[in-house]
Amino acid sequence: EYVGGTFDAVIHGELWEHLPEPDKAVREALRVLKSGGYLISSTPIGRHHADPMHLRFWDNDSITAFVQQFEDQANVKTLGAIAEEGCEPSCYLIVLERK
């Protein structure tokens, strides 16, 4: 078990859509981050990625509501859709800074 305030950054790459309770993963990441540390995450938008292991699908409203529940612990530095050049956005990029 890691002591709180240990890490400068935690990366959740394409993780939240696979978890039954992604809020627990975010809370744990925020717990182990130092003040000013970053949680950097990406997760697919909607059903752009056909994967039978996806337990949830995010849209603008649901990802915004999800991230807002952590405002007591973190500042939202980035919350937006990303895409390769010339393509439609297919993933959200989320960066939270631990308070």
Side-chain angles (χ1 to χ4, degrees):
E1 180 174 316
Y2 292 103
V3 175
T6 302
F7 297 99
D8 294 318
V10 173
I11 299 172
H12 286 172
E14 306 296 311
L15 174 68
W16 296 353
E17 67 276 9
H18 297 281
L19 301 176
E21 299 179 87
D23 57 304
K24 289 185 177 181
V26 173
R27 289 194 193 289
E28 179 61 10
L30 293 173
R31 185 188 73 79
V32 300
L33 281 171
K34 295 176 182 176
S35 179
Y38 291 97
L39 169 58
I40 304 162
S41 184
S42 62
T43 192
I45 297 171
R47 298 177 186 269
H48 284 270
H49 304 273
D51 185 337
M53 299 300 290
H54 287 185
L55 301 179
R56 65 183 60 251
F57 301 93
W58 305 98
D59 61 22
N60 291 340
D61 292 337
S62 62
I63 197 71
T64 299
F66 180 74
V67 170
Q68 285 177 341
Q69 70 180 304
F70 306 106
E71 288 180 338
D72 62 322
Q73 298 176 345
N75 297 313
V76 178
K77 301 303 277 185
T78 302
L79 174 56
I82 57 174
E84 294 182 37
E85 188 174 331
C87 296
E88 291 288 320
S90 63
C91 292
Y92 291 107
L93 173 65
I94 303 100
V95 179
L96 303 178
E97 179 185 27
R98 179 76 163 100
K99 291 184 178 179

